[in-house]
Amino acid sequence: MDLLNTLVDKGLRRETPTRAEALAVLGTTDDELLDVVAAAGKVRRHWFGRRVKLNYLVNLKSGLCPEDCSYCSQRLGSKADILKYTWLKPDEASRAAAAGLAGGAKRVCLVASGRGPTDRDVDRVSDTIKAIKEQNEDVEVCACLGLLSAGQAERLREAGADAYNHNLNTSESTYGEITTTHTYADRVDTVRKAHAASLSACSGLIAGMGETDEDLVDVVFSLRELDPDSVPVNFLIPFEGTPLAKEWNLTPQRCLRILAMVRFVCPDVEVRIAGGREVHLRTMQPLALHLANSIFLGDYLTSEGQAGKADLEMIADAGFEVEGAGEVTLPEHRTGGGCGSHEGGGCGSHEGGGVCGTVSASAPAPAASASADEPRPDLVAVRRRGAGTDLAPNA
């Protein structure tokens, strides 16, 4: 296909595709899907080789969020039967992080539900960052705490944070249909605050909320303009008890096309398969590694993920390798300082976290006889282990 040859050439040169080209990727047929994956895979391998970065989530505070994000199991008015607990102590969070690091994670993502942190909350998280780094000197730490006020990003950086996550989630034109308690501009402002504080900015999207192809292209082009180091791609989990519980709009093929489009638009950026990969990609997960260079290990915020051991086996069986702690994630031209130049990515694979959160992923259930485009609520499993419980985490 001439389109794919053009997109590969542009990706290798870091040249932005046109909107028409991005839309054309989303409009390809199932017969063309493997060609699309192969083309985007060339761009992925050029910038990231066959390395897969592993990230591990620690939910510092779960549930009881005052924001009304429609996708979120922790939202105001949510009836989802999730774990609810207040702030973990620094030593508790450090122990939770250690499980992920032992499983091969390179980055720990500290997430808390809520509109945004108070100054006391920033102190709490700063103490937690220090506790984690005292035990694991080389670990990367990303914070995801919601909307930031003036000076808070700088304080997190001083405490040792490497990155900050805040997702745009959807296009500016449809944002008000998803959330009413804060604005799209609020989110953009927080990503810019992270950049200004020399934190590695991470910002991504959620697919499957009823958006159009144009909405998806809009948000990815907006992300390209903001120039985060990491773009997490979440696939909505329609959590029972949330307003989007009936939105089962994704197939594995659709998810692969979205990931390919993101890779073409953001060729040299860490693209992470985030929440929802187990639910929507299912047995096609290994193909997605040809498009994204980063995933989450084990469980998510309020839902269970694929077993950590299964994640590692999938990476090896697909011919990829886990990125080591001493390896630099991003290409050299992005690691020299300034906007979009920091190593690593952020933590955007959340179904909660207030204005920070996105969607959940969950553990696969036994195979059912459903067709690819039928709802699969059997795949949504609420997290009952790890942080905030007495049970061992999945990592």
Side-chain angles (χ1 to χ4, degrees), residues 26 165 167 169 202-208 211 216 219-220 223 230-236 250 254-263 266 269-278 280-281 288 291-296 300 346-350 358-361:
L26 297 178
N165 165 260
N167 296 326
N169 290 333
C202 168
S203 190
L205 65 141
I206 309 172
E211 71 283 338
L216 287 171
V219 68
V220 176
L223 289 165
S230 175
V231 174
V233 180
N234 296 275
F235 301 113
L236 174 74
L250 297 171
R254 171 75 167 167
C255 293
L256 290 171
R257 290 187 193 96
I258 292 168
L259 287 167
M261 186 269 287
V262 174
R263 174 55 72 198
C266 305
V269 169
E270 178 186 347
V271 175
R272 182 173 308 126
I273 318 169
R277 67 177 167 93
E278 297 93 335
H280 294 295
L281 281 162
L291 307 169
N293 61 296
S294 182
I295 66 171
F296 281 89
Y300 298 83
C347 63
S349 173
H350 322 303
T358 54
V359 298
S360 71

Short mmCIF file of all heavy atoms in Angstrom, two decimals, residues 26 165 167 169 202-208 211 216 219-220 223 230-236 250 254-263 266 269-278 280-281 288 291-296 300 346-350 358-361:
data_model
loop_
_atom_site.label_atom_id
_atom_site.label_comp_id
_atom_site.label_asym_id
_atom_site.label_seq_id
_atom_site.Cartn_x
_atom_site.Cartn_y
_atom_site.Cartn_z
N LEU A 26 -7.02 4.15 10.46
CA LEU A 26 -8.18 3.66 11.22
C LEU A 26 -9.23 3.06 10.30
O LEU A 26 -10.04 2.24 10.74
CB LEU A 26 -8.80 4.80 12.03
CG LEU A 26 -7.90 5.41 13.12
CD1 LEU A 26 -8.63 6.55 13.82
CD2 LEU A 26 -7.47 4.36 14.13
N ASN A 165 2.24 11.88 35.14
CA ASN A 165 1.22 11.46 34.18
C ASN A 165 -0.07 12.25 34.36
O ASN A 165 -0.56 12.44 35.47
CB ASN A 165 0.89 9.98 34.34
CG ASN A 165 -0.40 9.61 33.64
OD1 ASN A 165 -1.45 9.50 34.26
ND2 ASN A 165 -0.34 9.42 32.34
N ASN A 167 -3.48 12.37 31.63
CA ASN A 167 -3.98 12.03 30.29
C ASN A 167 -4.99 13.05 29.77
O ASN A 167 -5.81 13.57 30.53
CB ASN A 167 -4.64 10.65 30.31
CG ASN A 167 -3.66 9.55 30.64
OD1 ASN A 167 -2.49 9.62 30.26
ND2 ASN A 167 -4.12 8.53 31.34
N ASN A 169 -7.14 12.02 27.44
CA ASN A 169 -8.23 11.06 27.36
C ASN A 169 -9.03 11.08 26.07
O ASN A 169 -9.21 10.06 25.43
CB ASN A 169 -9.18 11.18 28.55
CG ASN A 169 -8.55 10.71 29.83
OD1 ASN A 169 -7.65 9.87 29.80
ND2 ASN A 169 -8.98 11.24 30.95
N CYS A 202 3.96 12.52 30.69
CA CYS A 202 3.26 11.36 30.15
C CYS A 202 1.80 11.74 30.01
O CYS A 202 1.17 12.22 30.95
CB CYS A 202 3.40 10.18 31.11
SG CYS A 202 2.31 8.79 30.74
N SER A 203 1.25 11.57 28.80
CA SER A 203 -0.15 11.89 28.58
C SER A 203 -0.69 11.06 27.44
O SER A 203 -0.03 10.92 26.41
CB SER A 203 -0.31 13.39 28.27
OG SER A 203 -1.67 13.77 28.28
N GLY A 204 -1.86 10.49 27.63
CA GLY A 204 -2.40 9.59 26.63
C GLY A 204 -3.90 9.73 26.45
O GLY A 204 -4.48 10.79 26.68
N LEU A 205 -4.52 8.64 26.04
CA LEU A 205 -5.93 8.68 25.65
C LEU A 205 -6.66 7.42 26.09
O LEU A 205 -6.03 6.44 26.50
CB LEU A 205 -6.05 8.81 24.13
CG LEU A 205 -5.53 7.62 23.31
CD1 LEU A 205 -6.43 7.36 22.12
CD2 LEU A 205 -4.10 7.90 22.83
N ILE A 206 -7.97 7.48 25.98
CA ILE A 206 -8.83 6.32 26.18
C ILE A 206 -9.64 6.12 24.90
O ILE A 206 -10.31 7.04 24.44
CB ILE A 206 -9.82 6.50 27.34
CG1 ILE A 206 -9.11 6.95 28.61
CG2 ILE A 206 -10.59 5.21 27.60
CD1 ILE A 206 -10.07 7.34 29.73
N ALA A 207 -9.58 4.93 24.36
CA ALA A 207 -10.38 4.60 23.18
C ALA A 207 -11.54 3.71 23.60
O ALA A 207 -11.43 2.93 24.55
CB ALA A 207 -9.53 3.88 22.14
N GLY A 208 -12.67 3.84 22.90
CA GLY A 208 -13.80 2.98 23.15
C GLY A 208 -14.93 3.62 23.92
O GLY A 208 -15.87 2.94 24.34
N GLU A 211 -16.36 7.50 20.88
CA GLU A 211 -15.79 8.57 20.05
C GLU A 211 -15.72 8.16 18.59
O GLU A 211 -15.79 6.98 18.25
CB GLU A 211 -14.38 8.93 20.55
CG GLU A 211 -13.31 7.88 20.29
CD GLU A 211 -13.36 6.70 21.23
OE1 GLU A 211 -13.92 6.85 22.34
OE2 GLU A 211 -12.85 5.61 20.87
N LEU A 216 -10.44 10.45 17.75
CA LEU A 216 -9.18 9.77 18.06
C LEU A 216 -8.00 10.48 17.41
O LEU A 216 -6.96 10.70 18.06
CB LEU A 216 -9.23 8.31 17.59
CG LEU A 216 -10.09 7.36 18.41
CD1 LEU A 216 -10.23 6.02 17.71
CD2 LEU A 216 -9.51 7.17 19.81
N VAL A 219 -7.26 13.83 19.32
CA VAL A 219 -6.55 13.77 20.60
C VAL A 219 -5.10 13.35 20.39
O VAL A 219 -4.19 13.85 21.07
CB VAL A 219 -7.28 12.84 21.61
CG1 VAL A 219 -7.23 11.38 21.20
CG2 VAL A 219 -6.68 13.01 23.01
N VAL A 220 -4.83 12.47 19.43
CA VAL A 220 -3.45 12.06 19.20
C VAL A 220 -2.63 13.20 18.60
O VAL A 220 -1.47 13.40 18.97
CB VAL A 220 -3.40 10.79 18.31
CG1 VAL A 220 -1.96 10.42 17.98
CG2 VAL A 220 -4.07 9.63 19.03
N LEU A 223 -1.83 15.46 21.43
CA LEU A 223 -0.73 14.91 22.21
C LEU A 223 0.60 15.15 21.51
O LEU A 223 1.60 15.50 22.15
CB LEU A 223 -0.95 13.41 22.44
CG LEU A 223 -2.08 13.07 23.41
CD1 LEU A 223 -2.46 11.60 23.31
CD2 LEU A 223 -1.67 13.41 24.85
N SER A 230 5.87 9.98 26.81
CA SER A 230 5.14 8.72 26.84
C SER A 230 3.68 8.95 26.52
O SER A 230 3.07 9.89 27.03
CB SER A 230 5.26 8.08 28.23
OG SER A 230 4.47 6.93 28.32
N VAL A 231 3.12 8.09 25.68
CA VAL A 231 1.69 8.16 25.32
C VAL A 231 1.04 6.81 25.65
O VAL A 231 1.15 5.86 24.88
CB VAL A 231 1.49 8.51 23.84
CG1 VAL A 231 0.01 8.45 23.47
CG2 VAL A 231 2.05 9.90 23.53
N PRO A 232 0.39 6.70 26.79
CA PRO A 232 -0.35 5.48 27.11
C PRO A 232 -1.67 5.43 26.34
O PRO A 232 -2.41 6.41 26.30
CB PRO A 232 -0.59 5.58 28.61
CG PRO A 232 -0.47 7.02 28.94
CD PRO A 232 0.42 7.66 27.92
N VAL A 233 -1.93 4.29 25.75
CA VAL A 233 -3.18 4.09 25.01
C VAL A 233 -4.04 3.13 25.83
O VAL A 233 -3.73 1.94 25.97
CB VAL A 233 -2.93 3.52 23.61
CG1 VAL A 233 -4.25 3.31 22.87
CG2 VAL A 233 -2.00 4.45 22.82
N ASN A 234 -5.11 3.66 26.40
CA ASN A 234 -6.04 2.88 27.20
C ASN A 234 -7.25 2.48 26.37
O ASN A 234 -7.71 3.24 25.52
CB ASN A 234 -6.54 3.71 28.39
CG ASN A 234 -5.44 4.08 29.34
OD1 ASN A 234 -5.10 3.32 30.22
ND2 ASN A 234 -4.87 5.28 29.17
N PHE A 235 -7.76 1.29 26.64
CA PHE A 235 -8.98 0.80 26.00
C PHE A 235 -10.04 0.67 27.09
O PHE A 235 -9.87 -0.08 28.05
CB PHE A 235 -8.71 -0.53 25.31
CG PHE A 235 -7.63 -0.44 24.26
CD1 PHE A 235 -6.42 -1.11 24.44
CD2 PHE A 235 -7.80 0.32 23.12
CE1 PHE A 235 -5.42 -1.01 23.48
CE2 PHE A 235 -6.80 0.42 22.16
CZ PHE A 235 -5.60 -0.25 22.34
N LEU A 236 -11.12 1.40 26.92
CA LEU A 236 -12.14 1.49 27.97
C LEU A 236 -12.59 0.11 28.45
O LEU A 236 -12.95 -0.75 27.66
CB LEU A 236 -13.36 2.25 27.44
CG LEU A 236 -14.55 2.28 28.40
CD1 LEU A 236 -14.30 3.22 29.56
CD2 LEU A 236 -15.82 2.68 27.67
N LEU A 250 -15.12 -1.98 21.08
CA LEU A 250 -13.80 -2.32 20.56
C LEU A 250 -13.67 -3.79 20.19
O LEU A 250 -14.26 -4.66 20.84
CB LEU A 250 -12.73 -1.97 21.60
CG LEU A 250 -12.62 -0.49 21.97
CD1 LEU A 250 -11.69 -0.32 23.16
CD2 LEU A 250 -12.13 0.33 20.79
N ARG A 254 -9.64 -3.42 15.91
CA ARG A 254 -9.77 -1.97 16.11
C ARG A 254 -8.66 -1.45 17.02
O ARG A 254 -8.05 -0.41 16.75
CB ARG A 254 -11.14 -1.68 16.71
CG ARG A 254 -11.38 -0.25 17.18
CD ARG A 254 -11.60 0.67 16.03
NE ARG A 254 -12.12 1.98 16.48
CZ ARG A 254 -12.18 3.03 15.72
NH1 ARG A 254 -11.75 2.98 14.46
NH2 ARG A 254 -12.66 4.17 16.18
N CYS A 255 -8.37 -2.17 18.08
CA CYS A 255 -7.32 -1.76 19.01
C CYS A 255 -5.96 -1.71 18.31
O CYS A 255 -5.17 -0.78 18.53
CB CYS A 255 -7.25 -2.71 20.20
SG CYS A 255 -8.71 -2.67 21.27
N LEU A 256 -5.68 -2.68 17.47
CA LEU A 256 -4.41 -2.69 16.75
C LEU A 256 -4.30 -1.52 15.79
O LEU A 256 -3.24 -0.89 15.66
CB LEU A 256 -4.24 -4.01 16.01
CG LEU A 256 -4.00 -5.25 16.88
CD1 LEU A 256 -4.07 -6.52 16.05
CD2 LEU A 256 -2.65 -5.16 17.61
N ARG A 257 -5.39 -1.18 15.12
CA ARG A 257 -5.36 -0.02 14.22
C ARG A 257 -5.10 1.27 14.99
O ARG A 257 -4.36 2.15 14.52
CB ARG A 257 -6.68 0.10 13.46
CG ARG A 257 -6.92 -0.98 12.42
CD ARG A 257 -8.16 -0.69 11.59
NE ARG A 257 -8.53 -1.86 10.83
CZ ARG A 257 -9.43 -2.76 11.20
NH1 ARG A 257 -10.09 -2.60 12.34
NH2 ARG A 257 -9.70 -3.82 10.45
N ILE A 258 -5.72 1.39 16.16
CA ILE A 258 -5.51 2.59 16.98
C ILE A 258 -4.06 2.69 17.41
O ILE A 258 -3.42 3.76 17.32
CB ILE A 258 -6.46 2.58 18.19
CG1 ILE A 258 -7.92 2.74 17.74
CG2 ILE A 258 -6.08 3.67 19.20
CD1 ILE A 258 -8.94 2.45 18.82
N LEU A 259 -3.49 1.59 17.88
CA LEU A 259 -2.09 1.60 18.29
C LEU A 259 -1.17 1.93 17.12
O LEU A 259 -0.18 2.67 17.27
CB LEU A 259 -1.69 0.24 18.88
CG LEU A 259 -2.26 -0.07 20.28
CD1 LEU A 259 -2.07 -1.54 20.61
CD2 LEU A 259 -1.58 0.81 21.33
N ALA A 260 -1.47 1.40 15.95
CA ALA A 260 -0.66 1.71 14.77
C ALA A 260 -0.74 3.19 14.42
O ALA A 260 0.27 3.82 14.11
CB ALA A 260 -1.11 0.86 13.59
N MET A 261 -1.94 3.76 14.48
CA MET A 261 -2.09 5.18 14.19
C MET A 261 -1.28 6.03 15.16
O MET A 261 -0.60 6.99 14.77
CB MET A 261 -3.58 5.56 14.23
CG MET A 261 -3.89 6.99 13.81
SD MET A 261 -3.88 8.16 15.20
CE MET A 261 -5.41 7.71 16.04
N VAL A 262 -1.34 5.67 16.44
CA VAL A 262 -0.57 6.42 17.43
C VAL A 262 0.92 6.31 17.14
O VAL A 262 1.65 7.31 17.22
CB VAL A 262 -0.89 5.92 18.85
CG1 VAL A 262 0.01 6.60 19.88
CG2 VAL A 262 -2.36 6.16 19.20
N ARG A 263 1.38 5.14 16.78
CA ARG A 263 2.81 4.96 16.47
C ARG A 263 3.22 5.82 15.27
O ARG A 263 4.28 6.44 15.29
CB ARG A 263 3.12 3.48 16.22
CG ARG A 263 4.54 3.19 15.75
CD ARG A 263 5.58 3.76 16.70
NE ARG A 263 5.65 3.02 17.95
CZ ARG A 263 6.21 3.49 19.06
NH1 ARG A 263 6.72 4.72 19.08
NH2 ARG A 263 6.24 2.77 20.16
N CYS A 266 3.23 9.47 16.50
CA CYS A 266 4.23 9.68 17.56
C CYS A 266 5.34 8.64 17.43
O CYS A 266 5.48 7.77 18.29
CB CYS A 266 3.58 9.58 18.93
SG CYS A 266 2.16 10.67 19.18
N VAL A 269 8.22 8.25 20.33
CA VAL A 269 7.73 8.40 21.70
C VAL A 269 7.40 7.02 22.27
O VAL A 269 7.01 6.11 21.55
CB VAL A 269 6.48 9.31 21.70
CG1 VAL A 269 5.77 9.28 23.05
CG2 VAL A 269 6.87 10.73 21.35
N GLU A 270 7.57 6.88 23.58
CA GLU A 270 7.18 5.63 24.23
C GLU A 270 5.66 5.48 24.13
O GLU A 270 4.91 6.25 24.72
CB GLU A 270 7.60 5.64 25.70
CG GLU A 270 7.19 4.38 26.44
CD GLU A 270 7.48 4.45 27.93
OE1 GLU A 270 8.21 5.36 28.36
OE2 GLU A 270 6.95 3.60 28.66
N VAL A 271 5.22 4.49 23.39
CA VAL A 271 3.80 4.18 23.28
C VAL A 271 3.53 2.98 24.17
O VAL A 271 4.14 1.92 24.00
CB VAL A 271 3.39 3.88 21.83
CG1 VAL A 271 1.92 3.44 21.77
CG2 VAL A 271 3.60 5.11 20.95
N ARG A 272 2.62 3.15 25.11
CA ARG A 272 2.34 2.10 26.09
C ARG A 272 0.95 1.53 25.89
O ARG A 272 -0.03 2.26 25.79
CB ARG A 272 2.45 2.67 27.51
CG ARG A 272 2.22 1.60 28.59
CD ARG A 272 2.49 2.12 29.98
NE ARG A 272 3.80 2.72 30.01
CZ ARG A 272 4.04 3.97 30.42
NH1 ARG A 272 3.05 4.72 30.83
NH2 ARG A 272 5.26 4.45 30.42
N ILE A 273 0.87 0.21 25.83
CA ILE A 273 -0.44 -0.45 25.88
C ILE A 273 -0.85 -0.42 27.34
O ILE A 273 -0.20 -1.05 28.19
CB ILE A 273 -0.40 -1.90 25.39
CG1 ILE A 273 0.46 -2.03 24.14
CG2 ILE A 273 -1.82 -2.40 25.13
CD1 ILE A 273 0.74 -3.47 23.77
N ALA A 274 -1.91 0.30 27.65
CA ALA A 274 -2.27 0.52 29.03
C ALA A 274 -3.55 -0.24 29.38
O ALA A 274 -3.73 -1.38 28.95
CB ALA A 274 -2.38 2.02 29.28
N GLY A 275 -4.43 0.37 30.15
CA GLY A 275 -5.61 -0.33 30.63
C GLY A 275 -6.44 -0.91 29.50
O GLY A 275 -6.64 -0.27 28.47
N GLY A 276 -6.93 -2.12 29.71
CA GLY A 276 -7.84 -2.73 28.75
C GLY A 276 -7.21 -3.68 27.76
O GLY A 276 -7.92 -4.27 26.95
N ARG A 277 -5.90 -3.89 27.80
CA ARG A 277 -5.29 -4.74 26.77
C ARG A 277 -5.76 -6.19 26.89
O ARG A 277 -6.01 -6.85 25.89
CB ARG A 277 -3.77 -4.65 26.81
CG ARG A 277 -3.08 -5.22 28.03
CD ARG A 277 -1.56 -5.11 27.88
NE ARG A 277 -0.86 -5.35 29.13
CZ ARG A 277 -0.40 -6.54 29.51
NH1 ARG A 277 -0.56 -7.59 28.73
NH2 ARG A 277 0.22 -6.66 30.67
N GLU A 278 -5.89 -6.67 28.12
CA GLU A 278 -6.32 -8.06 28.28
C GLU A 278 -7.76 -8.26 27.86
O GLU A 278 -8.13 -9.30 27.29
CB GLU A 278 -6.17 -8.50 29.75
CG GLU A 278 -4.76 -8.51 30.26
CD GLU A 278 -4.34 -7.21 30.94
OE1 GLU A 278 -4.94 -6.15 30.62
OE2 GLU A 278 -3.43 -7.24 31.78
N HIS A 280 -9.63 -6.33 25.65
CA HIS A 280 -9.98 -6.03 24.26
C HIS A 280 -9.02 -6.63 23.23
O HIS A 280 -9.45 -7.00 22.14
CB HIS A 280 -10.09 -4.52 24.06
CG HIS A 280 -11.21 -3.90 24.83
ND1 HIS A 280 -12.53 -4.19 24.56
CD2 HIS A 280 -11.21 -3.03 25.86
CE1 HIS A 280 -13.30 -3.50 25.39
NE2 HIS A 280 -12.53 -2.80 26.19
N LEU A 281 -7.75 -6.72 23.55
CA LEU A 281 -6.81 -7.36 22.62
C LEU A 281 -6.82 -8.87 22.77
O LEU A 281 -6.61 -9.61 21.81
CB LEU A 281 -5.39 -6.83 22.84
CG LEU A 281 -5.10 -5.46 22.23
CD1 LEU A 281 -3.85 -4.85 22.86
CD2 LEU A 281 -4.91 -5.56 20.73
N ALA A 288 0.35 -6.65 19.39
CA ALA A 288 0.42 -5.25 19.80
C ALA A 288 1.83 -4.85 20.22
O ALA A 288 2.17 -3.66 20.20
CB ALA A 288 -0.56 -4.99 20.93
N LEU A 291 3.80 -2.77 17.93
CA LEU A 291 3.37 -1.38 17.78
C LEU A 291 3.79 -0.54 18.97
O LEU A 291 4.23 0.60 18.83
CB LEU A 291 1.86 -1.32 17.60
CG LEU A 291 1.30 -2.22 16.49
CD1 LEU A 291 -0.22 -2.29 16.58
CD2 LEU A 291 1.73 -1.72 15.14
N ALA A 292 3.64 -1.08 20.15
CA ALA A 292 3.96 -0.37 21.39
C ALA A 292 5.25 -0.93 21.98
O ALA A 292 5.55 -2.11 21.80
CB ALA A 292 2.81 -0.50 22.39
N ASN A 293 5.96 -0.11 22.71
CA ASN A 293 7.22 -0.56 23.31
C ASN A 293 7.17 -0.57 24.83
O ASN A 293 8.20 -0.62 25.49
CB ASN A 293 8.40 0.33 22.85
CG ASN A 293 8.24 1.77 23.26
OD1 ASN A 293 7.31 2.44 22.82
ND2 ASN A 293 9.14 2.27 24.09
N SER A 294 5.95 -0.55 25.38
CA SER A 294 5.82 -0.45 26.83
C SER A 294 4.47 -1.02 27.25
O SER A 294 3.48 -0.85 26.56
CB SER A 294 5.93 1.03 27.23
OG SER A 294 5.85 1.21 28.62
N ILE A 295 4.45 -1.71 28.40
CA ILE A 295 3.21 -2.23 28.96
C ILE A 295 3.27 -2.13 30.48
O ILE A 295 4.31 -1.82 31.06
CB ILE A 295 2.94 -3.71 28.57
CG1 ILE A 295 3.99 -4.64 29.19
CG2 ILE A 295 2.86 -3.89 27.07
CD1 ILE A 295 3.67 -6.12 29.03
N PHE A 296 2.14 -2.41 31.12
CA PHE A 296 2.11 -2.54 32.57
C PHE A 296 2.21 -4.00 32.96
O PHE A 296 1.67 -4.88 32.29
CB PHE A 296 0.84 -1.92 33.15
CG PHE A 296 0.91 -0.44 33.25
CD1 PHE A 296 0.50 0.35 32.20
CD2 PHE A 296 1.42 0.17 34.38
CE1 PHE A 296 0.60 1.72 32.26
CE2 PHE A 296 1.53 1.54 34.46
CZ PHE A 296 1.11 2.32 33.40
N TYR A 300 -3.78 -3.56 37.86
CA TYR A 300 -3.99 -2.14 37.64
C TYR A 300 -4.52 -1.51 38.92
O TYR A 300 -4.29 -2.01 40.01
CB TYR A 300 -4.91 -1.94 36.45
CG TYR A 300 -4.30 -2.49 35.18
CD1 TYR A 300 -4.41 -3.85 34.87
CD2 TYR A 300 -3.58 -1.68 34.30
CE1 TYR A 300 -3.82 -4.37 33.73
CE2 TYR A 300 -3.00 -2.20 33.16
CZ TYR A 300 -3.12 -3.54 32.88
OH TYR A 300 -2.53 -4.06 31.76
N GLY A 346 5.30 7.81 31.36
CA GLY A 346 4.52 8.06 32.55
C GLY A 346 3.71 6.84 32.93
O GLY A 346 4.05 5.74 32.61
N CYS A 347 2.60 7.09 33.62
CA CYS A 347 1.91 5.97 34.25
C CYS A 347 0.50 5.78 33.75
O CYS A 347 -0.29 5.13 34.41
CB CYS A 347 1.89 6.19 35.75
SG CYS A 347 0.99 7.64 36.25
N GLY A 348 0.16 6.31 32.59
CA GLY A 348 -1.25 6.42 32.24
C GLY A 348 -1.93 5.13 31.88
O GLY A 348 -2.24 4.88 30.72
N SER A 349 -2.19 4.29 32.82
CA SER A 349 -2.98 3.09 32.57
C SER A 349 -4.00 2.91 33.66
O SER A 349 -4.09 1.86 34.26
CB SER A 349 -2.08 1.87 32.51
OG SER A 349 -2.86 0.71 32.42
N HIS A 350 -4.78 3.94 33.93
CA HIS A 350 -5.59 3.91 35.14
C HIS A 350 -7.06 3.97 34.82
O HIS A 350 -7.50 4.68 33.96
CB HIS A 350 -5.22 5.09 36.04
CG HIS A 350 -3.76 5.36 36.00
ND1 HIS A 350 -2.85 4.42 36.33
CD2 HIS A 350 -3.07 6.45 35.62
CE1 HIS A 350 -1.64 4.92 36.18
NE2 HIS A 350 -1.74 6.14 35.74
N THR A 358 -7.64 6.77 34.04
CA THR A 358 -8.27 6.42 32.78
C THR A 358 -9.07 5.16 33.00
O THR A 358 -10.00 5.17 33.76
CB THR A 358 -7.23 6.27 31.68
OG1 THR A 358 -6.23 5.35 32.07
CG2 THR A 358 -6.59 7.58 31.37
N VAL A 359 -8.69 4.06 32.39
CA VAL A 359 -9.54 2.89 32.47
C VAL A 359 -8.80 1.72 33.07
O VAL A 359 -7.60 1.73 33.25
CB VAL A 359 -10.05 2.48 31.07
CG1 VAL A 359 -10.89 3.57 30.50
CG2 VAL A 359 -8.90 2.16 30.15
N SER A 360 -9.52 0.67 33.39
CA SER A 360 -8.90 -0.50 33.99
C SER A 360 -8.68 -1.59 32.98
O SER A 360 -9.36 -1.71 31.99
CB SER A 360 -9.83 -1.05 35.09
OG SER A 360 -10.95 -1.65 34.49
N ALA A 361 -7.71 -2.43 33.30
CA ALA A 361 -7.60 -3.69 32.60
C ALA A 361 -7.92 -4.77 33.60
O ALA A 361 -8.01 -4.52 34.79
CB ALA A 361 -6.21 -3.87 32.04
#
